Amino acid sequence: MLKQFIPDQYVKSVFEISVEQLKEQGVKGIITDLDNTLVEWDRADATERLIEWFDLLRAQGFQIVIVSNNNEKRVKHFADPHKITFIHSARKPLSKAFKTACKLMNLKREETVVIGDQLLTDILGGNRAGFQTILVVPVAQTDGFLTKFNRRIERRVFHTMKKRGLIEWENSDEKN
Ligand SMILES: [Mg+2]
């Protein structure tokens, strides 16, 4: 069961994801979470750096779809100014929204990567739907709605990831 929670890659932020490596792997599409993956959950708009990242990805030929469990108002306000396709109220970790996003891009699963900050929604959902997954450190501390059970799973997964050398930086238990 634990295997389903292990991402293929773990990075400190989306900006650390190697575009070159994605291209080498044949990735052409990105399904990304919004809250605490791209920006803090309470930040309404994209940052300058993020807008540059979107531009870079597009210039390199990638398609992007935001798949968020948050509501339409939040996701639309964020995505529309940058003309990014989105699926709101996605009900991750259920597979449906991931598959829909993949179809919207007209890509195969192997050509698509799922990026997110939560093991129990983004990574579990992405893995179960058969995608490559990349976990990022949350942009902001979440507001503590995770249950004790969830935290225990997360701790176990992080322990396993450390043992497998998936966490390359020091003090990986701490937020930076
Ligand atoms: Mg998130």
Side-chain angles (χ1 to χ4, degrees), residues 33 35-37 117-118 122:
D33 174 51
D35 294 323
N36 277 347
T37 294
D117 70 299
Q118 296 236 11
D122 309 306

Side-chain angles (χ1 to χ4, degrees), residues 73-117:
K73 188 169 171 243
R74 154 62 162 162
V75 188
K76 190 176 167 60
H77 175 94
F78 180 90
D80 271 0
H82 314 291
K83 299 189 169 56
I84 295 176
T85 309
F86 64 88
I87 297 172
H88 63 87
S89 315
R91 300 179 69 205
K92 295 178 282 187
L94 296 184
S95 305
K96 195 178 168 205
F98 294 112
K99 289 177 179 165
T100 305
C102 199
K103 264 188 207 151
L104 287 173
M105 294 188 284
N106 211 4
L107 293 175
K108 296 178 188 136
R109 274 183 308 196
E110 311 84 72
E111 296 170 322
T112 309
V113 69
V114 170
I115 303 170
D117 70 299

Side-chain angles (χ1 to χ4, degrees), residues 33-39 41 67-69 92 115-118 121-122 136 138 142 145:
D33 174 51
L34 169 54
D35 294 323
N36 277 347
T37 294
L38 297 180
V39 292
W41 63 274
V67 172
S68 171
N69 283 352
K92 295 178 282 187
I115 303 170
D117 70 299
Q118 296 236 11
T121 53
D122 309 306
V136 302
T142 48
F145 69 91

Side-chain angles (χ1 to χ4, degrees), residues 165-176:
L166 260 164
I167 301 176
E168 286 166 4
W169 60 87
E170 286 177 28
N171 301 324
S172 52
D173 292 328
E174 292 170 20
K175 314 268 324 153
N176 346 33

